[in-house]
Structure formats: C-alpha cells, structure tokens
Amino acid sequence: MENDKVILIYGFNGDEKKILQNLIKQNNLPNYLTIENDMVNMKVKDILNRIKLPILNTDVINEKVILFNNLPDKELDKAITLIKMFIKPMPILAVVTDISIEWIFKDLLKHLIEEREWFRNQGK
C-alpha cells in the first residue's frame, strides 16, 4: 500500500540493483521496488500500490532516481549516507510527499531534474 516503507528506484542496471540489495540486507533497510520504463506514465501512488499498468513509453529518461516512501528520519539518514558512499554517480534522491504521490512519475522526474539543475546553477 502507498504508506508502506519502501524505496522506489528508476534507471538502475542489474549490477547497481545488486549493490543496493546488499546495502538493504546488511543494514536492515526497507526493500525496493523498481519503476520500469513502461511504468513512468503512472502515478506514484499507483506504483506504490503495486498496480502495474504497462504503458508504451517512447520518452525514456536516462537518469537514476531513488524515492523514499514513509521511512522514519533515522532510516532515511542511514539510507542516504550509504547510497552516497556506494552508488556512483549519485542518483537523484527525493522523499515521496503528500503532493508528489499524486504526480505521474515522468512529470515528477522531470521536475526533480529541473530542481537539481537549478541548484547546480546557484552554486556557480
């Protein structure tokens, strides 16, 4: 269900998924669900509810994203620290909110990319 503690991932290859799975097992973190390319036109809440509505998608976005759903602060901090240490290059990290849960994943991803670029430009 959408309030489950779960990590959503997008854009990861098999080796990266194995690294993530090992981090999860070794550190007692919530498991992950993979958002496949044919799921990017679904709402985040439907993905969290394990509804699979494969929709043809020709607009594949080449990014790695990790969304954290309903993790307590301590688990979230631990997960982010581990990801920063072991997953390179750094994926986009975000927390599912009451607002973002209603978004279509592809639109959320585009927004997160724009946000990341804005922050990068502010640092120059």
Side-chain angles (χ1 to χ4, degrees), residues 4 38 52 106-107 114 116 122:
D4 284 352
D38 63 354
K52 178 117 184 200
K106 180 174 68 175
D107 296 337
E114 288 173 6
R116 177 189 63 195
Q122 296 305 307

Side-chain angles (χ1 to χ4, degrees), residues 30-77:
N31 214 345
Y32 71 85
L33 293 175
T34 301
I35 300 171
E36 304 292 346
N37 286 331
D38 63 354
M39 299 167 67
V40 298
N41 288 311
M42 294 175 56
K43 286 188 175 186
V44 173
K45 72 178 178 181
D46 292 334
I47 295 167
L48 288 168
N49 283 321
R50 278 81 165 169
I51 296 171
K52 178 117 184 200
L53 302 170
I55 301 169
L56 179 62
N57 177 39
T58 57
D59 185 26
V60 176
I61 301 171
N62 189 20
E63 286 286 345
K64 290 180 178 52
V65 179
I66 299 178
L67 297 177
F68 301 98
N69 186 66
N70 208 24
L71 272 71
D73 289 344
K74 191 172 184 176
E75 279 184 314
L76 182 61
D77 290 342

Side-chain angles (χ1 to χ4, degrees), residues 91-114:
I92 295 173
L93 304 176
V95 174
V96 176
T97 66
D98 291 342
I99 295 171
S100 67
I101 200 166
E102 298 294 334
W103 284 42
I104 302 243
F105 177 74
K106 180 174 68 175
D107 296 337
L108 175 60
L109 178 52
K110 288 178 181 177
H111 174 76
L112 292 170
I113 292 168
E114 288 173 6

Side-chain angles (χ1 to χ4, degrees), residues 7 20 23 27 29-30 66-68 71-88 90-95:
I7 298 169
L20 190 57
L23 290 176
N27 295 281
L29 294 169
I66 299 178
L67 297 177
F68 301 98
L71 272 71
D73 289 344
K74 191 172 184 176
E75 279 184 314
L76 182 61
D77 290 342
K78 180 193 264 186
I80 290 172
T81 299
L82 291 167
I83 288 165
K84 286 180 177 180
M85 289 176 14
F86 294 103
I87 308 286
K88 304 290 182 200
M90 182 67 168
I92 295 173
L93 304 176
V95 174

Side-chain angles (χ1 to χ4, degrees), residues 10-21:
Y10 174 78
F12 285 74
N13 65 35
D15 290 338
E16 293 164 330
K17 287 179 183 179
K18 286 178 188 174
I19 292 168
L20 190 57
Q21 188 64 44

